[in-house]
Amino acid sequence: MDSLLHALNPAQVEAVLHVDGPLLVLAGPGSGKTRVVTHRIAHLLGEGVRSRQILALTFTNKASRAMLSRVEELVQVDTRTIWGGTFHSVGNRILRRHAELLGDRDMGGPLGCPQDDPGAHRGALLGRARPGHRPEGLGFGLA
């Protein structure tokens, strides 16, 4: 554990050791955000959190690949079981995996939309989903 923390400043150590729920890291360029996130994931794995229970989101594919690669270097785990990627790619994965909950079966179009109606996902999400509804297996509710 100490090897994960020795190169971090006090604020970064605090973020890495935070285990009570989600954590949003906001900081400027070059401030060590990726280092904090990768070390936090490594710490969570070391604390016994299952990799498939971790969600790590970034804005770009390049940042996502770098983040997951660094986690693999820190803890020698297969990061394919971590829910990691861009906001868009993870959202797409969720839509495709749970399409039946929206009433659509063919979600092969762009961003998980039915192929014959690319705008249908908006209506499905806004019209069929109920606020506070927590579909079984998703692990989150719609606000």
Side-chain angles (χ1 to χ4, degrees), residues 15-142:
V16 167
L17 296 180
H18 174 84
V19 293
D20 297 323
L23 176 69
L24 175 64
V25 176
L26 292 174
S31 60
K33 293 180 297 297
T34 302
R35 178 181 293 189
V36 168
V37 172
T38 56
H39 282 67
R40 180 162 188 254
I41 292 169
H43 173 69
L44 290 170
L45 293 168
E47 291 292 309
V49 174
R50 292 182 301 203
S51 58
R52 67 177 180 266
Q53 293 177 299
I54 296 173
L55 174 64
L57 300 172
T58 65
F59 287 103
T60 68
N61 287 319
K62 181 180 177 182
S64 173
R65 285 189 299 272
M67 177 178 59
L68 295 174
S69 174
R70 290 182 195 179
V71 171
E72 283 183 349
E73 291 171 9
L74 288 170
V75 290
Q76 290 79 43
V77 298
D78 181 0
T79 58
R80 289 179 292 183
T81 58
I82 294 174
W83 276 81
T86 64
F87 287 90
H88 292 98
S89 68
V90 171
N92 187 24
R93 199 175 335 157
I94 291 168
L95 284 173
R96 287 177 188 272
R97 183 170 289 182
H98 300 289
E100 74 282 354
L101 297 174
L102 297 173
D104 296 315
R105 299 206 185 268
D106 178 14
M107 299 295 275
L111 290 177
C113 303
Q115 297 225 28
D116 59 343
D117 185 2
H121 72 287
R122 186 172 195 198
L125 289 172
L126 297 176
R128 295 185 194 144
R130 299 180 312 278
H133 178 63
R134 187 181 176 117
E136 194 172 317
L138 278 182
F140 58 84
L142 299 171

